[in-house]
Amino acid sequence: MVADASPKLPGISAQDLLAKVQTAKVDGLSGTVRSDADLGLPAIPGAPAGSEQLTEMLSGQHTARVAFASPDKARVSVLDNQAERVWTTDGKSAWAYDSSRREAVKLTVPEHKTTKPEKAVPSYDPQAVAKQFLDAIDPTTKVEVSGTEKVAGRDAYKLRLVPKTDKTTVGSVTLAIDSKTWVPLDVTVMPRTGNDPALEVGFSTVSFDVPAASTFTFTPPQGVKVTDKKVPSQDRPKRVAPKQVEPKQVEPKQVEPKQLKPGTAKAGEPTVIGEGWESVAMIRGAQTAQLTGNGPLAQLLAKAPTVSGTWGKGKVLTSRMVSALITDDGRVFVGLVTPDTLQAAAAKAPR
């Protein structure tokens, strides 16, 4: 009980702690991350290649070894069911390796384009996961310091975010913030209903020493099939940051043209509609053939309610956290929002 006691730390306001978290920077870190998730995320037809692994990460328990070094080096190694999956980049090239398939993909990164470590595999990076929720903070968010705790042997403050809007399925998000580096060490997401966390991602061990350069190199094992690919030199259009929009003065319909340009969304690439807690991701060009037959998804959709509106017609899937709308015209809308919010987003989305 002594070891688990809350550490005594100097008092700090929520505003000051939030400012330190948002400006925190470290040159590198390494450690072991554990994730425990039950978002109820359904399989999504037509989702980008590799998304089935992302869905798997967002359910069940997983452990990963991670390492990051500023500005563009990252490595994530996941061991599941006696198989290893590795994502790593040294800033010049990136590798994705799956031992169960005996396959590896090598990506060559253009010189003028840097690979951001926090986007490598967000589900296993507490900082990246925390950022997703920090970006959702708006006037409808209550922010408070709810105490202290020990995480991976380090003293941490607990920063709690509570959405005031009833359009999201998120009840609260608690970030454990390291008291020395101000880096998020753990993220716990509670649903609006229920007492069990929907998601917890955090370090069980962590070091803020910069990992050696050799940590980020990768040599495929003998006999592994290697596919070479090149990252396009042209960056995708950036989404307008929430801070550029004044919610009190601009109606959502006026903001929409800045975020979404009809005709620019590509099949298989998500488009974000809305902001903050009400954000919804849209994927175009879903493979509707997968929605028929006797497959698990087809059976699930057969029992799902049918809805319609100005946006068209489709099926709604709901869970304790995730809602999904699959339209007859091949669009998929997914978010940590209520079904009504999904339909409202669909009405604003480009076809």
Side-chain angles (χ1 to χ4, degrees), residues 246-290:
E246 299 180 5
K248 294 182 179 180
Q249 301 177 7
V250 182
E251 295 296 327
K253 290 184 178 180
Q254 293 175 299
V255 176
E256 177 189 347
K258 294 183 179 180
Q259 293 179 313
L260 303 174
K261 296 181 179 180
T264 60
K266 298 179 180 179
E269 294 183 359
T271 298
V272 178
I273 304 166
E275 295 180 345
W277 302 106
E278 300 174 21
S279 296
V280 172
M282 179 190 75
I283 299 173
R284 301 180 70 178
Q287 300 171 14
T288 54
Q290 296 183 16

Side-chain angles (χ1 to χ4, degrees), residues 10-55:
I12 187 172
S13 68
Q15 183 178 0
D16 289 343
L17 182 56
L18 183 59
K20 289 181 179 294
V21 175
Q22 293 176 325
T23 58
K25 287 186 177 181
V26 292
D27 293 329
L29 64 82
S30 60
T32 301
V33 172
R34 292 180 180 176
S35 68
D36 189 352
D38 183 15
L39 300 185
L41 187 65
I44 302 174
S51 61
E52 68 279 358
Q53 292 182 349
L54 178 60
T55 301

Side-chain angles (χ1 to χ4, degrees), residues 95-154:
W95 286 86
Y97 167 63
D98 187 337
S99 67
S100 64
R101 298 182 179 182
R102 301 289 294 171
E103 295 177 350
V105 176
K106 180 181 180 181
L107 299 175
T108 301
V109 182
E111 292 184 3
H112 65 280
K113 181 177 181 179
T114 59
T115 301
K116 296 182 179 181
E118 67 270 18
K119 292 186 179 294
V121 186
S123 298
Y124 290 111
D125 181 3
Q127 289 177 270
V129 175
K131 186 178 184 303
Q132 300 301 313
F133 292 106
L134 290 172
D135 286 346
I137 293 178
D138 58 20
T140 67
T141 306
K142 178 182 178 181
V143 183
E144 61 184 0
V145 178
S146 60
T148 64
E149 65 177 326
K150 282 275 190 181
V151 177
R154 298 180 68 90

